[in-house]
């Protein structure tokens, strides 16, 4: 971990390029640190095999997403990979923070930039692949996307890698458990400070 800052926060925003393994690291945090609250995003993309509504995402229609935006129910939202909309429901984040639990958002770069505007006290963590080749290997290995979709995601990833400097801390995702531990170490357990 390159951690020039010793700053910690009760709200950690995890971002990084597509296929770097943000979802896997978040799942490892969920497994090994059930005390950490992890936001469930709303998305207009259809579920992949094995994904459950309310667990991995809230799978919503375009109309439902429109309503969430109109009612200002989202802390941030973005169109990701030029295909679907993703957003963080605001109220659950507020409730988690009010209850004193460390909280984490796993979102894309555009979303992280929005949260930085509204919640600058959060800690912004960039998850980075060990190398570009490894990122390509992980994206191909996942095997859930079409060729066209994969090309689009790689194009997005190139731009996203360049954003590392905007973040407070970088974690290199060599190994999922170690990355999850590095991440949790950045969270403030105390309810008194955010
Ligand atoms: P996937 O479709 O592979 O689950 O996720 C695609 C991308 O959407 C990932 O980069 C993920 O971080 C991002 N994402 C997931 N939830 C949210 C969200 O609530 N807001 C934003 N801005 N991006 C999200």
């Amino acid at each position: 971990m390159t951690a020039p800052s010793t700053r910690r926060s009760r709200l950690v925003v995890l971002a990084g390029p597509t296929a770097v393994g943000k979802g896997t690291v978040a799942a490892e945090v969920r497994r090994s640190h059930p005390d950490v609250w992890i936001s469930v995003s709303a998305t207009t993309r259809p579920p992949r095999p094995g994904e459950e509504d309310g667990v991995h995402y809230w799978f919503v229609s375009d109309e439902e997403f429109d309503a969430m935006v109109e009612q200002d129910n989202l802390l941030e939202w973005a169109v990701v990979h030029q295909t679907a909309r993703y957003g963080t429901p605001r109220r659950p984040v507020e409730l988690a923070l009010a209850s004193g639990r460390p909280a984490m958002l796993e979102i894309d770069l555009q979303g992280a930039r929005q949260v930085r505007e509204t919640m600058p006290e959060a800690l912004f963590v960039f998850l980075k692949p060990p190398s570009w080749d490894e990122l390509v290997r992980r994206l191909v290995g996942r095997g859930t996307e079409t060729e066209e979709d994969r090309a689009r995601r790689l194009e997005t990833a190139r731009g996203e890698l360049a954003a590392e400097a905007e973040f407070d801390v970088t974690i290199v995702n060599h190994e999922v458990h170690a990355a999850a531990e590095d991440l949790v170490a950045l969270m403030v357990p105390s309810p008194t400070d955010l």
Side-chain angles (χ1 to χ4, degrees), residues 90-130:
R90 180 194 302 280
R91 188 83 184 119
V93 177
E94 290 170 351
L95 289 173
L97 291 174
S99 77
R101 286 175 79 180
M104 182 172 121
L105 312 181
E106 183 256 289
I107 59 180
D108 92 317
L109 189 60
Q110 309 167 75
R113 286 178 177 142
Q114 291 173 46
V115 179
R116 189 184 279 291
E117 291 298 309
T118 52
M119 302 179 105
E121 68 280 20
L123 189 73
F124 293 83
V125 180
F126 190 79
L127 190 67
K128 191 176 158 176

